[in-house]
Amino acid sequence: MNAPQTFGAMGEESGFLASMQKAMAPVLDFLFPPHCPACDAYVETRGAWCAACLANALRIRRLPLSGAHRKVIDEAWAFGVYQGALRSLLLPLKFKGRTDGLPALGTFLRAADEKLPRAAWMPGIAVPVPLFPKKEKTRGYNQTELIFRAWLEADGWTWRRALLRTRMTEPQYGLDAVGRAANVRDAFTVSDDEAREAIAGRPVLLLDDIFTTGSTLAECARVLKKAGAESVVEWVLASDRD
Ligand SMILES: [Zn+2]
């Protein structure tokens, strides 16, 4: 039985399945008690964290940008520390097609929400870093969209897939900073005229799950700025950078 792996998953569940899951929740909670994603301590509801682990993972900060990146990115912000709980929630989502960590990521975002300097950003256009279409088809989703979209839309942001990845790129994790920049150069384009119209002259919020060297985000920001975006602010769920 793999019920806990799908419980709470977002996506294309039918209404019937969703209501079945709701009805089954007490049974699942009994068979597989919800636990903190970081320390495994039992918690009251699925997706909850214990307060200490949540406080450890949450570290909202402005990320330093290299000179080249500063030319195209106005600000970059990370919400949490990558190593530890967030890594263990993100890896199965990215590489194993498992969405069961989403409720915990949702809890994390709601906690971040309270600490973000929200007044600095009026809700506008939110654009995810795209996956190569074939890769997204295989994975079944864009993880950045699953993480951020509902949370941002609830706050009045317009989610727009304004960028396309035009070629398959190597995984960034095996490359150094120079290799990473070369790997993603010219790998993105504005998806269509409608998207171009939507971003021209407007501030854009660019979203990704992880910030490592920022090469992918900088390349996306460069394309957005070239298409006329007034500014590009980046939010990522997690980073090891300070
Ligand atoms: Zn814990």
Side-chain angles (χ1 to χ4, degrees), residues 85-239:
L86 290 177
R87 180 174 184 270
S88 68
L89 289 168
L90 282 172
L91 288 181
L93 182 64
K94 283 181 83 161
F95 300 112
K96 297 200 167 147
R98 279 179 46 193
T99 54
D100 52 310
L102 284 172
L105 290 174
T107 303
F108 177 82
L109 279 184
R110 284 191 295 278
D113 209 328
E114 293 168 13
K115 294 183 188 267
L116 267 177
R118 301 302 293 260
W121 304 291
M122 290 296 286
I125 301 163
V127 176
V129 168
L131 301 176
F132 189 59
K134 199 173 149 197
K135 192 167 178 185
E136 180 167 347
K137 206 168 173 212
T138 310
R139 189 173 291 177
Y141 48 77
N142 175 328
Q143 73 281 355
T144 301
E145 185 159 289
L146 289 193
I147 294 166
F148 284 106
R149 183 174 182 168
W151 177 69
L152 283 167
E153 284 183 341
D155 205 30
W157 293 82
T158 302
W159 189 264
R160 193 177 264 277
R161 289 171 159 244
L163 293 172
L164 271 182
R165 198 182 281 245
T166 53
R167 61 180 170 81
M168 203 66 166
T169 49
E170 293 294 314
Q172 291 283 70
Y173 53 74
L175 304 167
D176 63 13
V178 175
R180 283 171 183 240
N183 187 35
V184 292
R185 192 161 297 134
D186 299 324
F188 301 95
T189 183
V190 175
S191 49
D192 53 26
D193 287 345
E194 213 179 295
R196 197 171 293 275
E197 217 166 277
I199 59 180
R202 310 273 291 277
V204 173
L205 178 64
L206 181 62
L207 297 139
D208 205 359
D209 51 357
I210 302 166
F211 183 107
T212 308
T213 62
S215 301
T216 302
L217 284 155
E219 186 60 17
C220 287
R222 191 181 68 77
V223 172
L224 289 167
K225 281 269 175 83
K226 206 173 155 199
E230 180 200 75
S231 61
V232 178
V233 169
E234 296 174 354
W235 289 359
V236 294
L237 188 77
S239 178

Side-chain angles (χ1 to χ4, degrees), residues 36 38-41 49-50 53:
C36 170
C39 73
D40 274 348
W49 298 53
C50 76
C53 291

